[in-house]
Amino acid sequence: MKELAGRLTALDPDAGAAVRVIAYFDRLSEARAGLEALVRGAAVLAGVPARLVDVERRVQVRVEADGTRRDSGVPPDPGWPTTALAPGGAAALWLERTEAAPSVVDAVILERAAGAVRLVLDRTRGRAPVDDPALVETVLDATAPEAARLHAARGLGLGLEITASARALAPFDGRPRIVAGRAGTELPAGRVGVGPAVPVLDLPRSWADARTALRFTAQGTAQDPGPRIVYADELGGVALLADLVAPGAEPPPDVQALEAAGAATPWLLGTLHAVVSTASLRAAAAEINVHHSTLQDRLSHAEHLLGWPLRTPQGRLRLQLALTMRHLARS
C-alpha cells in the first residue's frame, strides 16, 4: 500500500493522499480502535477539528487538529464538510473546515472514518436509548432464562461482547429503560434512579439498584428538596438505609420531627437541605440566597423545632440521615 501511495502521489497528489487515508483507517479498524481514536485520526489527517454527533445514541466527540479532545455544545455548522453514518440518518461526522472548499481527500477521510465509526457504534452501543417495552422487561427480569434475556438483548441492539455494558434506568413516572454504554446520556425528565453500568446479563442487578437509587431521589422543590437524579454506584454504604426504612411504614422519630417542622415553617426543609449539601454555612446561605446572619437565625429556630443541634458534626450527620430517611419513607 505504501508503494502504491508513493506511485500515485507522483502522478496525482490527491490520489496518493487518498490511498494513505484508506490504509490508515483500515489499520485503525483492524486494531479495533475506539470512537475517539477514529475522530482524532480524521482531525489530524484533515488538519481541522473533527466532530462526531449521534443524537440517538447520545454520543458526541470533538477532537482538535492537534489531537486534543475538546467537546463543544455549539451545534455543527451546516456549511462544514460532513457525511452521515448511515443513508438518511441524522448521525454524522463533520470536518470543521470553514476557510476553503472541501477537497477530494476530505471526502475520503469522512467516508472511511464514518464507516469505521459506524462499525464501532453498532458493535458497542447498539441503539440508544433502548426502549422496546416487552424486550426491556425480559432483559431486566432476573427470573427469565439466560437464553431469553440474550435473545431480547439482541433484539434491542445491545452489544453482547465481554466489554459491552449498559445501565438500567428507573424513572418515577414512566416505564423502565436501558441505555447502552458507560458514557453519560440524556436522562428522562423528573425523578430517575440510574443503575450501574454492567454486562448485559447483569442488567437485572442494575435494574434492582436503579430502583433503590430512585428511592433516594426528590422532586427538587421547597417541600421536597434533594436531587432528582441519583446514581446507584455513587450511594456507597448509604444504600443500606433503603433496607432499614420501608416505604409506607411509620417514619422514624427524626423524620416525624422534620415533617412537623416543615409543615409549620415553609422555608425549613429547603434551608436544611442546603446546610447538609454544601461545604459550609456561608455556602448554604448563598445557595438559598439569604444573608449569613439570616441563616444562623433560621438554624436556631430549626434546632428549637427539631430538638437537636444542627451546627455540630454529629447534628449535621443526624440531620442528613433524617432528610435521607424522609425520602425513603415516603417513596
Side-chain angles (χ1 to χ4, degrees):
M1 186 67 76
K2 273 187 182 180
E3 183 180 351
L4 174 61
R7 291 179 179 177
L8 286 174
T9 299
L11 299 172
D12 184 340
D14 282 348
V19 170
R20 283 193 291 272
V21 168
I22 293 170
Y24 178 81
F25 284 107
D26 283 349
R27 288 196 299 272
L28 287 182
S29 295
E30 289 171 4
R32 298 176 72 87
L35 295 177
E36 186 172 333
L38 292 169
V39 178
R40 179 176 293 109
V44 172
L45 289 173
V48 296
R51 184 186 305 204
L52 167 64
V53 179
D54 187 340
V55 175
E56 182 185 0
R57 293 181 172 96
R58 312 295 195 259
V59 173
Q60 183 165 244
V61 179
R62 180 182 180 275
V63 179
E64 298 279 1
D66 63 1
T68 303
R69 177 162 180 173
R70 187 171 291 116
D71 293 339
S72 171
V74 179
D77 186 325
W80 292 341
T82 183
T83 189
L85 299 189
L93 184 68
W94 306 75
L95 296 179
E96 299 182 13
R97 190 178 298 286
T98 57
E99 298 178 355
S103 65
V104 172
V105 177
D106 282 347
V108 176
I109 290 171
L110 286 170
E111 179 187 355
R112 302 301 291 191
V117 164
R118 181 171 59 250
L119 292 175
V120 173
L121 287 171
D122 289 345
R123 183 176 73 243
T124 62
R125 302 292 179 93
R127 298 191 312 267
V130 181
D131 57 6
D132 184 293
L135 296 179
V136 168
E137 182 179 348
T138 301
V139 171
L140 299 181
D141 184 359
T143 65
E146 181 177 308
R149 286 189 280 132
L150 286 173
H151 180 76
R154 290 190 186 93
L156 292 169
L158 292 171
L160 301 181
E161 297 87 352
I162 294 175
T163 57
S165 64
R167 294 178 185 267
L169 306 183
F172 179 71
D173 294 315
R175 51 186 173 78
R177 290 180 57 189
I178 299 172
V179 291
R182 295 180 178 273
T185 187
E186 183 178 333
L187 300 175
R191 293 168 53 194
V192 184
V194 182
V198 296
V200 167
L201 285 177
D202 287 340
L203 277 169
R205 173 172 62 84
S206 182
W207 169 236
D209 290 346
R211 285 180 293 166
T212 297
L214 176 63
R215 295 185 59 201
F216 288 86
T217 64
Q219 295 290 349
T221 62
Q223 292 306 306
D224 189 21
R228 287 189 291 271
I229 298 170
V230 172
Y231 287 78
D233 44 13
E234 295 178 359
L235 285 173
V238 176
L240 297 175
L241 286 174
D243 295 329
L244 303 177
V245 182
E250 183 177 357
D254 283 357
V255 175
Q256 296 180 40
L258 273 177
E259 295 287 9
T265 313
W267 51 257
L268 184 132
L269 292 172
T271 297
L272 297 183
H273 172 71
V275 167
V276 301
S277 61
T278 55
S280 67
L281 292 183
R282 290 196 179 277
E287 176 77 15
I288 57 177
N289 198 28
V290 300
H291 193 272
H292 183 257
S293 62
T294 301
L295 177 60
Q296 294 288 356
D297 291 341
R298 287 188 176 187
L299 288 179
S300 295
H301 186 59
E303 288 172 338
H304 173 72
L305 292 175
L306 295 175
W308 75 80
L310 301 176
R311 283 166 278 199
T312 65
Q314 296 85 353
R316 283 167 61 94
L317 175 59
R318 182 175 177 181
L319 173 61
Q320 188 163 15
L321 289 173
L323 288 169
T324 300
M325 289 189 294
R326 179 174 180 264
H327 296 155
L328 296 172
R330 61 97 172 93
S331 58

